[in-house]
Amino acid sequence: MDNDRGTVTVAAIPGWRIMRSDAGRLWASREQPFPKAAEKAGAARTVDGDTPDELATAVAAQEDLALQVSAS
């Protein structure tokens, strides 16, 4: 992972743009909006984490929520 400010390449999270804040915290923003029903259910398009694993977990939780809503 790149320690510079700006975009960080994380191939393990396709469809999400990964950034590192000035404070070193990782953020991910989904490149495409979630469907309206998923947004209403609380799926967040931007999440954060202190480590790559925490960030991946936060992204997975949002994608899982959106999947559950679309399956109902």
Side-chain angles (χ1 to χ4, degrees):
M1 225 190 270
D2 185 4
N3 287 329
D4 294 336
R5 284 183 6 187
T7 302
V8 178
T9 303
V10 177
I13 309 178
W16 289 73
R17 179 159 293 144
I18 312 302
M19 298 152 284
R20 185 182 303 276
S21 72
D22 291 342
R25 191 153 177 83
L26 295 170
W27 292 82
S29 184
R30 197 169 195 269
E31 293 174 349
Q32 297 294 319
F34 282 110
K36 296 279 186 207
E39 288 179 359
K40 282 186 173 188
R45 191 172 170 187
T46 301
V47 295
D48 63 335
D50 288 322
T51 66
D53 286 343
E54 284 181 14
L55 187 65
T57 298
V59 166
Q62 301 314 302
E63 292 290 348
D64 287 346
L65 176 59
L67 211 64
Q68 289 173 6
V69 169
S70 70
S72 342

